[in-house]
Amino acid sequence: MGSVILFGIAFIGGTVVVTLGFYFLMRFIMGTDPTGKDRELAGAVVMRISSLHALILALVFAQEMIEYQQLKFESVTEANAVANVYFDAERYGANEKPPIQQALFEYVQIVVDEEWRSLGTTGQLSATAWSKWDNVYQRVLDLTPTNVRQQSIRDHMLANVHAISDSRDKRENSGTDSVSKIFWFAAISGVIFMALGYYPYPPDARNLLLLSVLGAFTGIILFFIYAFSDPYNPPATLKPTAFERLLEELASPPPSG
């Protein structure tokens, strides 16, 4: 947690430094504005640049936030599908229950202990977890219902097994999708151009404070976009909470009444 805070401070501080640095650079090149004529044009230019810059940041921030929340939703959906198959196996019959439930328990263990972390490092799903899923899929396919009840349970299990596969693919895509380098070019360019446009204003304490506030707030937004763009790594790591709760439930099932 401490390293994340320090990284965030460094990220935001860097944006402030860039803002002030290019402001002083432009002022050094252009000199002062003794007549005040440059301020009108500079203000108009900065207004247009800042408007477009804010729009870009808002759109990308909203997109990353939606995808981050969508990953959380898909994780819950996948965990629920696993639970449905697990308990449907018990409802189907005592002979079919043990191998299916064992494979699902091991599957959840792999997701929590290995796969979630590997998505952050390699961006790929675990082959072992896929093997456990396929084991469950094959066993459900091999079920031979003898009555309407078992047929209904088997159909429900197959639907949930397919839902698990779909959610896995979405989890992998969420890990590999990242913010385009073009966005970072546009975002950093916007910060620089806005800083350049303020050169007609003298570097007194108030103006420098306002420029620092502009740079800091822009840095905060950029930091959040960077954090949400990679949900499997710090600083905004999304934990497999739904799978952890399911693992606890499967490891210590409630006593049968």
Side-chain angles (χ1 to χ4, degrees), residues 201-221:
Y201 297 88
D204 56 38
R206 294 179 180 179
N207 288 339
L208 292 179
L209 177 60
L210 290 174
L211 280 173
S212 298
V213 170
L214 173 65
F217 183 71
T218 304
I220 291 172
I221 301 301

Side-chain angles (χ1 to χ4, degrees), residues 5-86:
I5 295 175
L6 291 176
F7 179 72
I9 294 174
F11 197 103
I12 297 167
T15 310
V16 174
V17 170
V18 169
T19 303
L20 294 178
F22 278 92
Y23 162 75
F24 281 111
L25 176 63
M26 188 64 170
R27 190 168 178 84
F28 174 78
I29 295 173
M30 299 299 294
T32 60
D33 180 25
T35 63
K37 294 181 179 180
D38 292 352
R39 291 192 184 186
E40 184 177 353
L41 178 58
V45 171
V46 169
M47 178 64 70
R48 285 161 176 76
I49 293 176
S50 61
S51 298
L52 292 173
H53 190 250
L55 178 62
I56 293 172
L57 294 186
L59 291 174
V60 176
F61 178 82
Q63 174 187 333
E64 293 303 321
M65 190 65 191
I66 290 172
E67 291 183 357
Y68 187 87
Q69 295 297 331
Q70 185 66 26
L71 175 59
K72 183 184 296 185
F73 172 79
E74 289 297 338
S75 299
V76 174
T77 301
E78 182 182 351
N80 288 340
V82 172
N84 288 337
V85 178
Y86 185 92

Side-chain angles (χ1 to χ4, degrees), residues 125-145:
L125 295 169
S126 167
T128 308
W130 272 123
S131 176
K132 297 298 179 183
W133 173 87
D134 186 66
N135 187 358
V136 173
Y137 187 33
Q138 295 296 334
R139 290 184 180 278
V140 174
L141 287 175
D142 291 340
L143 294 177
T144 53

